[in-house]
Amino acid sequence: MYNLSPKISASWDLFFHWLASRSGVELEVIAHAAPAPLSELWGRPDMGAVFMCGFPFSRLAADERPLPLAAPVSLADWAKGQPLYASHIVAARESPLKEADLVSARWGWTVRDSQSGYNAPREFFAALAGGQPARETIGSLLNPRGVVDAIRSETIDVGAIDAYAYQLLALHEPEMVAPLRIVATTKPAPFPLLVAAKQQPPEIVEALRGNLLSAHRDREGLALLAALGLARFAEPDIAAYDQLPARARTIDEALGPW
């Protein structure tokens, strides 16, 4: 989910190699680049530590869910020291759009099972527009890079980018977000969490979970987290994820699909 560029992917690779070494669990870092569906990745029986969006996680029955390991806590102010994230509503840097103008803008979205790229901007728009339909919506743009490209090509006026993805780009690939301007930020939601396959033995799951939760107390682990814009990993609040389907239904009733 957050392999946004070769440079950022390399930072993640270093972190997961550290996790494998500290936990004594052999982890193979695999590429699963867009447009390969994330649902295929989440269905693999050999998942060791894989990011999963909270919305598809929340829609699975308890006995169908992969095993939650940990959720990141960003160093950014919007996280407020908690395993939360949001979406930035972004436009071209030279665009004169203000928040009130977004009702009449052309919106882009990523994929319909995304909290950050679909449900969060719809929830924001529904509150802003008061039941008024969007002028035009365009998708699926797949991921934050697709949103950036669509804005730069003037295919859309605004789109939502996962605030943590934006943070990573600003940290490692500032030229990618340089053409953008944050117009607004959505309500927070529980951060995408790292999960393991249900088939993994309990001792492997506990080793991975324990080392993720204590990574910030390890000198090397803390440095690797900082390179990823993270303060630490925290225990996921499963009850917070369970609230996401109800939020989505409220959006559907107010706005309908994009």
Side-chain angles (χ1 to χ4, degrees):
M1 288 178 64
Y2 293 115
N3 282 346
L4 301 165
S5 74
K7 187 175 181 180
I8 294 170
S9 295
S11 293
W12 281 115
D13 289 354
L14 287 173
F15 178 78
F16 284 117
H17 287 310
W18 172 88
L19 177 62
S21 175
R22 285 295 189 275
S23 62
V25 176
E26 185 177 350
L27 294 175
E28 177 187 1
V29 179
I30 61 169
H32 191 84
L38 284 170
S39 56
E40 292 181 1
L41 180 62
W42 298 329
R44 289 182 59 138
D46 59 349
M47 284 193 301
V50 172
F51 270 114
M52 185 173 189
C53 178
F55 182 59
F57 176 85
S58 72
R59 297 175 71 189
L60 294 172
D63 60 352
E64 296 176 339
R65 291 174 175 174
L67 303 174
L69 298 176
V73 177
S74 171
L75 288 166
D77 291 342
W78 44 256
K80 299 180 180 178
Q82 300 297 318
L84 299 171
Y85 80 142
S87 295
H88 292 319
I89 308 301
V90 296
R93 180 164 295 279
E94 65 276 11
S95 168
L97 287 173
K98 298 181 175 63
E99 183 171 323
D101 302 322
L102 298 178
V103 174
S104 58
R106 296 172 301 162
W107 284 73
W109 51 271
T110 55
V111 291
R112 287 196 170 97
D113 63 352
S114 170
Q115 173 62 28
S116 63
Y118 186 69
N119 280 333
R122 286 197 311 143
E123 184 177 47
F124 175 88
F125 182 87
L128 185 68
Q132 179 179 335
R135 169 189 164 193
E136 183 181 3
T137 61
I138 295 173
S140 82
L141 300 175
L142 294 179
N143 53 32
R145 184 181 288 270
V147 173
V148 173
D149 290 344
I151 289 174
R152 295 183 71 175
S153 67
E154 299 183 356
T155 303
I156 61 174
D157 300 315
V158 293
I161 293 182
D162 175 325
Y164 177 58
Y166 192 98
Q167 178 191 0
L168 281 174
L169 291 171
L171 186 64
H172 292 288
E173 306 287 357
E175 71 284 353
M176 283 188 62
V177 294
L180 303 179
R181 177 173 58 86
I182 298 172
V183 182
T185 300
T186 68
K187 290 173 57 176
F191 211 122
L193 66 168
L194 284 171
V195 298
K198 291 173 57 179
Q199 295 89 334
Q200 294 290 0
E203 60 271 19
I204 286 181
V205 174
E206 288 308 311
L208 293 171
R209 181 181 289 134
N211 281 281
L212 284 166
L213 295 176
S214 63
H216 62 290
R217 293 193 288 270
D218 177 277
R219 183 174 180 179
E220 184 180 359
L222 182 62
L224 292 168
L225 289 172
L228 291 164
L230 298 178
R232 60 187 175 93
F233 280 89
E235 291 189 24
D237 180 359
I238 301 304
Y241 295 94
D242 288 339
Q243 295 171 14
L244 293 177
R247 283 173 65 170
R249 286 193 295 272
T250 300
I251 303 164
D252 289 339
E253 292 169 359
L255 191 63
W258 273 2

